[in-house]
Amino acid sequence: MDSMTNMRMSEASIEARDIKMSTKGVDVFYGDTHAIKDVTVDILDNTVTAFIGPSGCGKSTFLRCLNRMNDTIEVCRVTGDIRLDGEDIYASRVDPVQLRARVGMVFQKPNPFPKSIYDNIAYGPKIHGLVGNKAELDEVVEQSLRRAAIWNEVKDRLDQPGTGLSGGQQQRLCIARAIATAPEVLLMDEPCSALDPIATAQIEELIDELRADFSVVIVTHSMQQAARVSQKTAFFHLGDLVEYNDTNHIFTNPDDQRTQDYITGRFG
Amino acid sequence: MLPLTALLIFGLAIGFSILARGRAVQVSAGKLASLHSRPAYHGLYSFLWVLIVGLVVLIVLSVGWRLWLDAQLMADIRAALPDAPIIEHDLILNDAKAISDGTLASRTGEVRTSIAAAYGSGNTLRVWVSVALAIASAVGVGFVTLAKISPDWRARNRSENIIQVILWFSATIAILTTVGIVLSLIFETLTFFNQIGWRVDKFLYGTRWSPLSGVQEGVIDGDKVGALPLFTGTLLITVIAMLVAVPIGLFAAIYLSDFAGPRVRAWAKPMLEILAGIPTVVYGFFAAITVAPFIRGSGEALGLSVASESALAAGVVMGIMIIPFISSLSDDVINAVPQSLRDGSYGLGATKAETIRQVVLPAALPGIVSAVLLGVSRAVGETMIVVMAAGQGANFTANPLEAVTTVTVQIVMLITGDTDAKTAAGPAFTLGFTLFCVTLILNMIALSVVRKYREMYD
Ligand SMILES: Nc1ncnc2c1ncn2[C@@H]1O[C@H](COP(=O)(O)OP(=O)(O)O)[C@@H](O)[C@H]1O
Ligand SMILES: [Mg+2]
């Protein structure tokens, strides 16, 4: 535990914040596989929430429930209650397409579109009709790139393909792309697992800044990363939510023996 | 006799390889590990040498002797009948061989009988000597290889070298054949251009195509070899075919890759591939017998005059033929667009249609372009459909309801027509060369596009 206490810890305690998303009794099935079992979690506004747990425990699956990305998987069935600002996102009148503009997503592997850097960012605002003219679009593109801390690196080559950037730059481009649709929640599925340590540090710093404007949910298999960037941590194991608490609490004094075993590296 | 000998040599090779294995086991004195090469390689080494030496001796000797014998007999014939034309000499030699072999000769006569006798004795000698020498050398080489076997003998490396030479030889034959075909195309094309006084422009831009009408043997009228109507006819039919094939093929590919469930896909894709396996001659008579009359009938109902063989009929059927080609290749490239790109787009709140149109298709575009280009080169080179359904008249027109002709059709007409081959060959080879250049360029562009595309996602 010594190395853990030496690490830069996030704020000691989380004062009461608004609940941005709430889930109650969520179950997910892939065909006959029961991937998520009765999970209840509240995601707070302006907070970074980390999902940790051994691989295959259902972190990605649960994350993808939050913006209904699981709808694109045919065999996947989601039950339970998931709300964004108190509104049931699985209600029939909710259009998953509009929901995903409000709950953006960044993926494990950087996946810039084979378009110019500018068009990568402009893609979301354009399809959602968020801007009226070119000048506004330019403004949105610049703002998004600035907030993703990549503006200075790409401002002179906005017309070049996004696929030509380095891995870390590509991932920040993808974050900028997600920011451009003005989401309220940002979901990140292991956003640093394909990146080198320097790019990882940049992304982590960025995530900390993004907290000011969004509610961020990040899946990570690195406990150090969870400790560094998050204020709340949820530990999943075999589809169960074992423990959900302040990050400090989880890493210093977990309630559950399985959490204790996992963060001390005894399994996983 | 000679094929039988080849078989015998093969048998000898197997026999020696068995002997060599046995001998290798024997020299190892019970310790197989002491051999540099395993016994099987000693066997292979003997096998290769016996087979190669035997066959090479057999072929070189029998073929060389045959040529020499023919030359001798031709000299005799020429001495006997110095005044007859060369073609007559050839005929006499053939008849003499027929008489000697006991088959039917076109005529008999004194000269023929005497040549036949000479051929008979010469040929018997040739066959027996070739057979004897081939077998003797095969056996000789077999014993030499046996004698070399010792624990240190590197039979494996040596057999591998021999096999490498055989592979190299095969590759060389393939390449040389290609080079030879291209060279002969170029040569014949140059000869043809020479015949029309190097007026290449008359060939490329002239509008009158009847190269063989009223020409004497070996003479071509430069004013009648305007191939422009053939080029425009080919272009017209290709454009019609692509207008049919590209939208349908592409939409089918999009449906298959992004909309069809796994069960539909499981039978629809093989179905499309079966469509690609239908011989083009079947499409051809389908076009001529079903589609062309239908188009003519519906055209007349609308008050249009439609030729009974039209560019439209041929083009539409050709388009149908190319659909599976384009849909199958496009389906592959659309499937190769990583799922992560689709996820990225859905994750931003894009609909399926937006995702396909703005992310998937642009990403797959290079591959689709190359599929279309390969489709075009198929259309340009397609023959059977146009022979049957497009007509033969070299009309210089852009009207799809008229009969047109294509480069490939005219090549068929030239070669199968009753003008002597030497005269017809010039224009035919030149058209063939033109076609070759066009398809080569199309294929090269398509392949380089595909290669670029691969680099992007690997
Ligand atoms: N598309 C899918 N189809 C079927 N099963 C899946 C699918 N995606 C994930 N699963 C299963 O769901 C479980 C949870 O997977 P996942 O959410 O990816 O775990 P994690 O992200 O924690 O590594 C695993 O057992 C996995 O095999
Ligand atoms: Mg995962």
Side-chain angles (χ1 to χ4, degrees), chain B residues 183-214:
Chain B
L183 281 183
S184 84
L185 274 180
I186 292 175
F187 177 75
E188 295 284 346
T189 302
L190 292 180
T191 315
F192 171 73
F193 283 147
N194 189 26
Q195 281 176 344
I196 58 170
W198 295 104
R199 295 295 304 273
V200 179
D201 57 310
K202 280 191 180 169
F203 171 74
L204 288 179
Y205 304 119
T207 57
R208 223 175 122 224
W209 176 263
S210 57
L212 300 182
S213 64

PDB file of all heavy atoms in Angstrom, chain B residues 183-214:
ATOM      1  N   LEU B 183       5.470  -9.428 -76.900  1.00  0.00           N
ATOM      2  CA  LEU B 183       6.371  -9.060 -77.996  1.00  0.00           C
ATOM      3  C   LEU B 183       5.726  -9.340 -79.348  1.00  0.00           C
ATOM      4  O   LEU B 183       5.823  -8.534 -80.275  1.00  0.00           O
ATOM      5  CB  LEU B 183       7.687  -9.823 -77.869  1.00  0.00           C
ATOM      6  CG  LEU B 183       8.657  -9.257 -76.830  1.00  0.00           C
ATOM      7  CD1 LEU B 183       9.956 -10.040 -76.850  1.00  0.00           C
ATOM      8  CD2 LEU B 183       8.921  -7.782 -77.070  1.00  0.00           C
ATOM      9  N   SER B 184       5.049 -10.493 -79.463  1.00  0.00           N
ATOM     10  CA  SER B 184       4.462 -10.790 -80.766  1.00  0.00           C
ATOM     11  C   SER B 184       3.321  -9.818 -81.061  1.00  0.00           C
ATOM     12  O   SER B 184       3.129  -9.403 -82.203  1.00  0.00           O
ATOM     13  CB  SER B 184       3.991 -12.244 -80.829  1.00  0.00           C
ATOM     14  OG  SER B 184       2.719 -12.374 -80.269  1.00  0.00           O
ATOM     15  N   LEU B 185       2.577  -9.420 -80.011  1.00  0.00           N
ATOM     16  CA  LEU B 185       1.544  -8.396 -80.215  1.00  0.00           C
ATOM     17  C   LEU B 185       2.179  -7.118 -80.762  1.00  0.00           C
ATOM     18  O   LEU B 185       1.717  -6.534 -81.739  1.00  0.00           O
ATOM     19  CB  LEU B 185       0.841  -8.074 -78.888  1.00  0.00           C
ATOM     20  CG  LEU B 185      -0.335  -8.949 -78.466  1.00  0.00           C
ATOM     21  CD1 LEU B 185      -0.880  -8.477 -77.134  1.00  0.00           C
ATOM     22  CD2 LEU B 185      -1.422  -8.904 -79.515  1.00  0.00           C
ATOM     23  N   ILE B 186       3.268  -6.699 -80.101  1.00  0.00           N
ATOM     24  CA  ILE B 186       3.919  -5.455 -80.518  1.00  0.00           C
ATOM     25  C   ILE B 186       4.434  -5.585 -81.948  1.00  0.00           C
ATOM     26  O   ILE B 186       4.227  -4.706 -82.790  1.00  0.00           O
ATOM     27  CB  ILE B 186       5.079  -5.110 -79.555  1.00  0.00           C
ATOM     28  CG1 ILE B 186       4.516  -4.752 -78.179  1.00  0.00           C
ATOM     29  CG2 ILE B 186       5.915  -3.973 -80.095  1.00  0.00           C
ATOM     30  CD1 ILE B 186       5.564  -4.519 -77.124  1.00  0.00           C
ATOM     31  N   PHE B 187       5.063  -6.722 -82.223  1.00  0.00           N
ATOM     32  CA  PHE B 187       5.637  -6.920 -83.552  1.00  0.00           C
ATOM     33  C   PHE B 187       4.564  -6.864 -84.634  1.00  0.00           C
ATOM     34  O   PHE B 187       4.696  -6.150 -85.634  1.00  0.00           O
ATOM     35  CB  PHE B 187       6.365  -8.271 -83.583  1.00  0.00           C
ATOM     36  CG  PHE B 187       6.928  -8.611 -84.924  1.00  0.00           C
ATOM     37  CD1 PHE B 187       8.071  -7.973 -85.384  1.00  0.00           C
ATOM     38  CD2 PHE B 187       6.301  -9.534 -85.744  1.00  0.00           C
ATOM     39  CE1 PHE B 187       8.585  -8.273 -86.620  1.00  0.00           C
ATOM     40  CE2 PHE B 187       6.800  -9.833 -86.981  1.00  0.00           C
ATOM     41  CZ  PHE B 187       7.948  -9.210 -87.431  1.00  0.00           C
ATOM     42  N   GLU B 188       3.461  -7.585 -84.424  1.00  0.00           N
ATOM     43  CA  GLU B 188       2.401  -7.605 -85.425  1.00  0.00           C
ATOM     44  C   GLU B 188       1.764  -6.226 -85.584  1.00  0.00           C
ATOM     45  O   GLU B 188       1.382  -5.824 -86.678  1.00  0.00           O
ATOM     46  CB  GLU B 188       1.318  -8.623 -85.038  1.00  0.00           C
ATOM     47  CG  GLU B 188       1.795 -10.068 -85.020  1.00  0.00           C
ATOM     48  CD  GLU B 188       1.939 -10.633 -86.435  1.00  0.00           C
ATOM     49  OE1 GLU B 188       1.433 -10.010 -87.383  1.00  0.00           O
ATOM     50  OE2 GLU B 188       2.562 -11.696 -86.568  1.00  0.00           O
ATOM     51  N   THR B 189       1.658  -5.534 -84.457  1.00  0.00           N
ATOM     52  CA  THR B 189       1.088  -4.183 -84.521  1.00  0.00           C
ATOM     53  C   THR B 189       1.968  -3.275 -85.373  1.00  0.00           C
ATOM     54  O   THR B 189       1.480  -2.537 -86.232  1.00  0.00           O
ATOM     55  CB  THR B 189       0.959  -3.615 -83.096  1.00  0.00           C
ATOM     56  OG1 THR B 189       0.146  -4.493 -82.333  1.00  0.00           O
ATOM     57  CG2 THR B 189       0.343  -2.240 -83.105  1.00  0.00           C
ATOM     58  N   LEU B 190       3.291  -3.365 -85.131  1.00  0.00           N
ATOM     59  CA  LEU B 190       4.202  -2.527 -85.911  1.00  0.00           C
ATOM     60  C   LEU B 190       4.122  -2.891 -87.393  1.00  0.00           C
ATOM     61  O   LEU B 190       4.105  -2.021 -88.262  1.00  0.00           O
ATOM     62  CB  LEU B 190       5.635  -2.687 -85.388  1.00  0.00           C
ATOM     63  CG  LEU B 190       5.847  -2.113 -83.987  1.00  0.00           C
ATOM     64  CD1 LEU B 190       7.289  -2.307 -83.543  1.00  0.00           C
ATOM     65  CD2 LEU B 190       5.473  -0.637 -83.953  1.00  0.00           C
ATOM     66  N   THR B 191       4.060  -4.211 -87.690  1.00  0.00           N
ATOM     67  CA  THR B 191       3.935  -4.632 -89.086  1.00  0.00           C
ATOM     68  C   THR B 191       2.687  -4.024 -89.715  1.00  0.00           C
ATOM     69  O   THR B 191       2.715  -3.524 -90.846  1.00  0.00           O
ATOM     70  CB  THR B 191       3.848  -6.168 -89.167  1.00  0.00           C
ATOM     71  OG1 THR B 191       4.838  -6.718 -88.321  1.00  0.00           O
ATOM     72  CG2 THR B 191       4.029  -6.644 -90.591  1.00  0.00           C
ATOM     73  N   PHE B 192       1.604  -4.068 -88.970  1.00  0.00           N
ATOM     74  CA  PHE B 192       0.349  -3.533 -89.489  1.00  0.00           C
ATOM     75  C   PHE B 192       0.459  -2.030 -89.758  1.00  0.00           C
ATOM     76  O   PHE B 192       0.074  -1.534 -90.818  1.00  0.00           O
ATOM     77  CB  PHE B 192      -0.782  -3.816 -88.497  1.00  0.00           C
ATOM     78  CG  PHE B 192      -2.058  -3.115 -88.832  1.00  0.00           C
ATOM     79  CD1 PHE B 192      -2.839  -3.533 -89.909  1.00  0.00           C
ATOM     80  CD2 PHE B 192      -2.479  -2.021 -88.092  1.00  0.00           C
ATOM     81  CE1 PHE B 192      -4.017  -2.878 -90.220  1.00  0.00           C
ATOM     82  CE2 PHE B 192      -3.660  -1.370 -88.407  1.00  0.00           C
ATOM     83  CZ  PHE B 192      -4.424  -1.793 -89.476  1.00  0.00           C
ATOM     84  N   PHE B 193       1.033  -1.311 -88.778  1.00  0.00           N
ATOM     85  CA  PHE B 193       1.180   0.137 -88.978  1.00  0.00           C
ATOM     86  C   PHE B 193       2.082   0.407 -90.174  1.00  0.00           C
ATOM     87  O   PHE B 193       1.868   1.359 -90.927  1.00  0.00           O
ATOM     88  CB  PHE B 193       1.730   0.803 -87.717  1.00  0.00           C
ATOM     89  CG  PHE B 193       0.695   0.960 -86.638  1.00  0.00           C
ATOM     90  CD1 PHE B 193       1.033   0.876 -85.302  1.00  0.00           C
ATOM     91  CD2 PHE B 193      -0.634   1.196 -86.979  1.00  0.00           C
ATOM     92  CE1 PHE B 193       0.073   1.009 -84.317  1.00  0.00           C
ATOM     93  CE2 PHE B 193      -1.602   1.336 -86.000  1.00  0.00           C
ATOM     94  CZ  PHE B 193      -1.246   1.243 -84.669  1.00  0.00           C
ATOM     95  N   ASN B 194       3.070  -0.444 -90.354  1.00  0.00           N
ATOM     96  CA  ASN B 194       3.938  -0.305 -91.518  1.00  0.00           C
ATOM     97  C   ASN B 194       3.134  -0.459 -92.807  1.00  0.00           C
ATOM     98  O   ASN B 194       3.313   0.290 -93.766  1.00  0.00           O
ATOM     99  CB  ASN B 194       5.055  -1.344 -91.437  1.00  0.00           C
ATOM    100  CG  ASN B 194       6.102  -1.120 -92.499  1.00  0.00           C
ATOM    101  OD1 ASN B 194       6.264   0.017 -92.948  1.00  0.00           O
ATOM    102  ND2 ASN B 194       6.786  -2.178 -92.899  1.00  0.00           N
ATOM    103  N   GLN B 195       2.210  -1.418 -92.817  1.00  0.00           N
ATOM    104  CA  GLN B 195       1.399  -1.654 -94.017  1.00  0.00           C
ATOM    105  C   GLN B 195       0.539  -0.452 -94.379  1.00  0.00           C
ATOM    106  O   GLN B 195       0.239  -0.216 -95.545  1.00  0.00           O
ATOM    107  CB  GLN B 195       0.476  -2.865 -93.792  1.00  0.00           C
ATOM    108  CG  GLN B 195       1.178  -4.192 -93.959  1.00  0.00           C
ATOM    109  CD  GLN B 195       0.254  -5.331 -93.630  1.00  0.00           C
ATOM    110  OE1 GLN B 195      -0.785  -5.155 -93.013  1.00  0.00           O
ATOM    111  NE2 GLN B 195       0.637  -6.518 -94.050  1.00  0.00           N
ATOM    112  N   ILE B 196       0.074   0.288 -93.362  1.00  0.00           N
ATOM    113  CA  ILE B 196      -0.743   1.454 -93.691  1.00  0.00           C
ATOM    114  C   ILE B 196       0.114   2.717 -93.681  1.00  0.00           C
ATOM    115  O   ILE B 196      -0.382   3.824 -93.482  1.00  0.00           O
ATOM    116  CB  ILE B 196      -1.938   1.613 -92.723  1.00  0.00           C
ATOM    117  CG1 ILE B 196      -1.457   1.741 -91.272  1.00  0.00           C
ATOM    118  CG2 ILE B 196      -2.891   0.438 -92.846  1.00  0.00           C
ATOM    119  CD1 ILE B 196      -2.576   2.137 -90.312  1.00  0.00           C
ATOM    120  N   GLY B 197       1.415   2.559 -93.904  1.00  0.00           N
ATOM    121  CA  GLY B 197       2.305   3.709 -94.054  1.00  0.00           C
ATOM    122  C   GLY B 197       2.432   4.538 -92.787  1.00  0.00           C
ATOM    123  O   GLY B 197       2.518   5.764 -92.854  1.00  0.00           O
ATOM    124  N   TRP B 198       2.428   3.867 -91.639  1.00  0.00           N
ATOM    125  CA  TRP B 198       2.604   4.537 -90.341  1.00  0.00           C
ATOM    126  C   TRP B 198       1.559   5.609 -90.090  1.00  0.00           C
ATOM    127  O   TRP B 198       1.800   6.532 -89.315  1.00  0.00           O
ATOM    128  CB  TRP B 198       4.019   5.138 -90.215  1.00  0.00           C
ATOM    129  CG  TRP B 198       5.026   4.056 -90.214  1.00  0.00           C
ATOM    130  CD1 TRP B 198       5.844   3.697 -91.227  1.00  0.00           C
ATOM    131  CD2 TRP B 198       5.278   3.137 -89.145  1.00  0.00           C
ATOM    132  NE1 TRP B 198       6.602   2.613 -90.885  1.00  0.00           N
ATOM    133  CE2 TRP B 198       6.276   2.240 -89.602  1.00  0.00           C
ATOM    134  CE3 TRP B 198       4.776   2.975 -87.857  1.00  0.00           C
ATOM    135  CZ2 TRP B 198       6.752   1.209 -88.823  1.00  0.00           C
ATOM    136  CZ3 TRP B 198       5.253   1.949 -87.078  1.00  0.00           C
ATOM    137  CH2 TRP B 198       6.235   1.082 -87.573  1.00  0.00           C
ATOM    138  N   ARG B 199       0.391   5.496 -90.757  1.00  0.00           N
ATOM    139  CA  ARG B 199      -0.666   6.460 -90.460  1.00  0.00           C
ATOM    140  C   ARG B 199      -1.459   5.954 -89.256  1.00  0.00           C
ATOM    141  O   ARG B 199      -2.605   5.530 -89.379  1.00  0.00           O
ATOM    142  CB  ARG B 199      -1.576   6.637 -91.680  1.00  0.00           C
ATOM    143  CG  ARG B 199      -0.870   7.253 -92.884  1.00  0.00           C
ATOM    144  CD  ARG B 199      -0.428   8.689 -92.585  1.00  0.00           C
ATOM    145  NE  ARG B 199      -1.563   9.509 -92.172  1.00  0.00           N
ATOM    146  CZ  ARG B 199      -2.361  10.148 -93.022  1.00  0.00           C
ATOM    147  NH1 ARG B 199      -2.154  10.066 -94.313  1.00  0.00           N
ATOM    148  NH2 ARG B 199      -3.372  10.863 -92.583  1.00  0.00           N
ATOM    149  N   VAL B 200      -0.816   6.004 -88.081  1.00  0.00           N
ATOM    150  CA  VAL B 200      -1.471   5.531 -86.867  1.00  0.00           C
ATOM    151  C   VAL B 200      -2.751   6.322 -86.622  1.00  0.00           C
ATOM    152  O   VAL B 200      -3.747   5.810 -86.109  1.00  0.00           O
ATOM    153  CB  VAL B 200      -0.517   5.662 -85.657  1.00  0.00           C
ATOM    154  CG1 VAL B 200      -1.189   5.193 -84.382  1.00  0.00           C
ATOM    155  CG2 VAL B 200       0.748   4.868 -85.917  1.00  0.00           C
ATOM    156  N   ASP B 201      -2.723   7.614 -87.036  1.00  0.00           N
ATOM    157  CA  ASP B 201      -3.901   8.444 -86.834  1.00  0.00           C
ATOM    158  C   ASP B 201      -5.114   7.888 -87.574  1.00  0.00           C
ATOM    159  O   ASP B 201      -6.239   7.970 -87.097  1.00  0.00           O
ATOM    160  CB  ASP B 201      -3.620   9.874 -87.289  1.00  0.00           C
ATOM    161  CG  ASP B 201      -3.182   9.923 -88.743  1.00  0.00           C
ATOM    162  OD1 ASP B 201      -2.266   9.156 -89.112  1.00  0.00           O
ATOM    163  OD2 ASP B 201      -3.774  10.703 -89.503  1.00  0.00           O
ATOM    164  N   LYS B 202      -4.869   7.313 -88.770  1.00  0.00           N
ATOM    165  CA  LYS B 202      -5.995   6.750 -89.519  1.00  0.00           C
ATOM    166  C   LYS B 202      -6.638   5.598 -88.758  1.00  0.00           C
ATOM    167  O   LYS B 202      -7.849   5.403 -88.799  1.00  0.00           O
ATOM    168  CB  LYS B 202      -5.523   6.235 -90.886  1.00  0.00           C
ATOM    169  CG  LYS B 202      -5.357   7.329 -91.900  1.00  0.00           C
ATOM    170  CD  LYS B 202      -5.149   6.739 -93.271  1.00  0.00           C
ATOM    171  CE  LYS B 202      -4.988   7.829 -94.289  1.00  0.00           C
ATOM    172  NZ  LYS B 202      -4.527   7.298 -95.573  1.00  0.00           N
ATOM    173  N   PHE B 203      -5.797   4.826 -88.054  1.00  0.00           N
ATOM    174  CA  PHE B 203      -6.323   3.714 -87.263  1.00  0.00           C
ATOM    175  C   PHE B 203      -7.085   4.235 -86.040  1.00  0.00           C
ATOM    176  O   PHE B 203      -8.200   3.803 -85.750  1.00  0.00           O
ATOM    177  CB  PHE B 203      -5.164   2.809 -86.831  1.00  0.00           C
ATOM    178  CG  PHE B 203      -5.550   1.754 -85.832  1.00  0.00           C
ATOM    179  CD1 PHE B 203      -6.290   0.646 -86.221  1.00  0.00           C
ATOM    180  CD2 PHE B 203      -5.180   1.865 -84.500  1.00  0.00           C
ATOM    181  CE1 PHE B 203      -6.654  -0.320 -85.306  1.00  0.00           C
ATOM    182  CE2 PHE B 203      -5.539   0.897 -83.580  1.00  0.00           C
ATOM    183  CZ  PHE B 203      -6.276  -0.192 -83.991  1.00  0.00           C
ATOM    184  N   LEU B 204      -6.481   5.219 -85.376  1.00  0.00           N
ATOM    185  CA  LEU B 204      -7.080   5.673 -84.123  1.00  0.00           C
ATOM    186  C   LEU B 204      -8.294   6.564 -84.341  1.00  0.00           C
ATOM    187  O   LEU B 204      -9.236   6.541 -83.549  1.00  0.00           O
ATOM    188  CB  LEU B 204      -6.034   6.425 -83.295  1.00  0.00           C
ATOM    189  CG  LEU B 204      -4.937   5.568 -82.666  1.00  0.00           C
ATOM    190  CD1 LEU B 204      -3.954   6.438 -81.891  1.00  0.00           C
ATOM    191  CD2 LEU B 204      -5.535   4.521 -81.734  1.00  0.00           C
ATOM    192  N   TYR B 205      -8.265   7.387 -85.390  1.00  0.00           N
ATOM    193  CA  TYR B 205      -9.323   8.399 -85.527  1.00  0.00           C
ATOM    194  C   TYR B 205     -10.215   8.192 -86.736  1.00  0.00           C
ATOM    195  O   TYR B 205     -11.203   8.900 -86.900  1.00  0.00           O
ATOM    196  CB  TYR B 205      -8.711   9.799 -85.576  1.00  0.00           C
ATOM    197  CG  TYR B 205      -7.852  10.092 -84.386  1.00  0.00           C
ATOM    198  CD1 TYR B 205      -6.491  10.381 -84.514  1.00  0.00           C
ATOM    199  CD2 TYR B 205      -8.400  10.055 -83.098  1.00  0.00           C
ATOM    200  CE1 TYR B 205      -5.705  10.624 -83.400  1.00  0.00           C
ATOM    201  CE2 TYR B 205      -7.618  10.299 -81.990  1.00  0.00           C
ATOM    202  CZ  TYR B 205      -6.267  10.581 -82.143  1.00  0.00           C
ATOM    203  OH  TYR B 205      -5.496  10.813 -81.042  1.00  0.00           O
ATOM    204  N   GLY B 206      -9.854   7.259 -87.649  1.00  0.00           N
ATOM    205  CA  GLY B 206     -10.690   7.028 -88.830  1.00  0.00           C
ATOM    206  C   GLY B 206     -12.034   6.459 -88.417  1.00  0.00           C
ATOM    207  O   GLY B 206     -12.162   5.789 -87.399  1.00  0.00           O
ATOM    208  N   THR B 207     -13.060   6.726 -89.207  1.00  0.00           N
ATOM    209  CA  THR B 207     -14.393   6.268 -88.821  1.00  0.00           C
ATOM    210  C   THR B 207     -14.899   5.169 -89.741  1.00  0.00           C
ATOM    211  O   THR B 207     -16.037   4.751 -89.647  1.00  0.00           O
ATOM    212  CB  THR B 207     -15.401   7.426 -88.851  1.00  0.00           C
ATOM    213  OG1 THR B 207     -15.392   7.990 -90.155  1.00  0.00           O
ATOM    214  CG2 THR B 207     -15.058   8.473 -87.829  1.00  0.00           C
ATOM    215  N   ARG B 208     -14.079   4.726 -90.694  1.00  0.00           N
ATOM    216  CA  ARG B 208     -14.554   3.687 -91.590  1.00  0.00           C
ATOM    217  C   ARG B 208     -13.815   2.403 -91.316  1.00  0.00           C
ATOM    218  O   ARG B 208     -12.598   2.319 -91.467  1.00  0.00           O
ATOM    219  CB  ARG B 208     -14.336   4.117 -93.048  1.00  0.00           C
ATOM    220  CG  ARG B 208     -15.572   3.757 -93.851  1.00  0.00           C
ATOM    221  CD  ARG B 208     -15.520   4.244 -95.248  1.00  0.00           C
ATOM    222  NE  ARG B 208     -15.660   3.086 -96.125  1.00  0.00           N
ATOM    223  CZ  ARG B 208     -14.934   2.869 -97.190  1.00  0.00           C
ATOM    224  NH1 ARG B 208     -14.013   3.744 -97.539  1.00  0.00           N
ATOM    225  NH2 ARG B 208     -15.134   1.807 -97.908  1.00  0.00           N
ATOM    226  N   TRP B 209     -14.530   1.373 -90.894  1.00  0.00           N
ATOM    227  CA  TRP B 209     -13.881   0.118 -90.536  1.00  0.00           C
ATOM    228  C   TRP B 209     -14.414  -0.989 -91.416  1.00  0.00           C
ATOM    229  O   TRP B 209     -15.530  -1.452 -91.254  1.00  0.00           O
ATOM    230  CB  TRP B 209     -14.150  -0.213 -89.062  1.00  0.00           C
ATOM    231  CG  TRP B 209     -13.591  -1.540 -88.647  1.00  0.00           C
ATOM    232  CD1 TRP B 209     -14.265  -2.718 -88.577  1.00  0.00           C
ATOM    233  CD2 TRP B 209     -12.258  -1.838 -88.277  1.00  0.00           C
ATOM    234  NE1 TRP B 209     -13.440  -3.726 -88.185  1.00  0.00           N
ATOM    235  CE2 TRP B 209     -12.188  -3.223 -87.993  1.00  0.00           C
ATOM    236  CE3 TRP B 209     -11.086  -1.064 -88.173  1.00  0.00           C
ATOM    237  CZ2 TRP B 209     -11.015  -3.848 -87.605  1.00  0.00           C
ATOM    238  CZ3 TRP B 209      -9.931  -1.699 -87.783  1.00  0.00           C
ATOM    239  CH2 TRP B 209      -9.894  -3.080 -87.498  1.00  0.00           C
ATOM    240  N   SER B 210     -13.617  -1.360 -92.453  1.00  0.00           N
ATOM    241  CA  SER B 210     -13.906  -2.604 -93.167  1.00  0.00           C
ATOM    242  C   SER B 210     -12.573  -3.047 -93.742  1.00  0.00           C
ATOM    243  O   SER B 210     -12.332  -2.977 -94.933  1.00  0.00           O
ATOM    244  CB  SER B 210     -14.950  -2.407 -94.259  1.00  0.00           C
ATOM    245  OG  SER B 210     -14.525  -1.415 -95.149  1.00  0.00           O
ATOM    246  N   PRO B 211     -11.684  -3.474 -92.876  1.00  0.00           N
ATOM    247  CA  PRO B 211     -10.273  -3.658 -93.243  1.00  0.00           C
ATOM    248  C   PRO B 211     -10.064  -4.684 -94.345  1.00  0.00           C
ATOM    249  O   PRO B 211      -9.066  -4.621 -95.050  1.00  0.00           O
ATOM    250  CB  PRO B 211      -9.628  -4.110 -91.934  1.00  0.00           C
ATOM    251  CG  PRO B 211     -10.740  -4.636 -91.116  1.00  0.00           C
ATOM    252  CD  PRO B 211     -11.950  -3.865 -91.491  1.00  0.00           C
ATOM    253  N   LEU B 212     -10.977  -5.629 -94.508  1.00  0.00           N
ATOM    254  CA  LEU B 212     -10.713  -6.712 -95.444  1.00  0.00           C
ATOM    255  C   LEU B 212     -11.537  -6.617 -96.719  1.00  0.00           C
ATOM    256  O   LEU B 212     -11.432  -7.471 -97.584  1.00  0.00           O
ATOM    257  CB  LEU B 212     -11.000  -8.064 -94.768  1.00  0.00           C
ATOM    258  CG  LEU B 212     -10.159  -8.326 -93.523  1.00  0.00           C
ATOM    259  CD1 LEU B 212     -10.457  -9.689 -92.954  1.00  0.00           C
ATOM    260  CD2 LEU B 212      -8.675  -8.181 -93.833  1.00  0.00           C
ATOM    261  N   SER B 213     -12.376  -5.575 -96.833  1.00  0.00           N
ATOM    262  CA  SER B 213     -13.223  -5.541 -98.019  1.00  0.00           C
ATOM    263  C   SER B 213     -12.398  -5.120 -99.234  1.00  0.00           C
ATOM    264  O   SER B 213     -11.740  -4.088 -99.232  1.00  0.00           O
ATOM    265  CB  SER B 213     -14.395  -4.583 -97.810  1.00  0.00           C
ATOM    266  OG  SER B 213     -13.911  -3.281 -97.663  1.00  0.00           O
ATOM    267  N   GLY B 214     -12.456  -5.960-100.255  1.00  0.00           N
ATOM    268  CA  GLY B 214     -11.820  -5.657-101.535  1.00  0.00           C
ATOM    269  C   GLY B 214     -10.317  -5.480-101.481  1.00  0.00           C
ATOM    270  O   GLY B 214      -9.757  -4.733-102.264  1.00  0.00           O
TER     271      GLY B 214
END
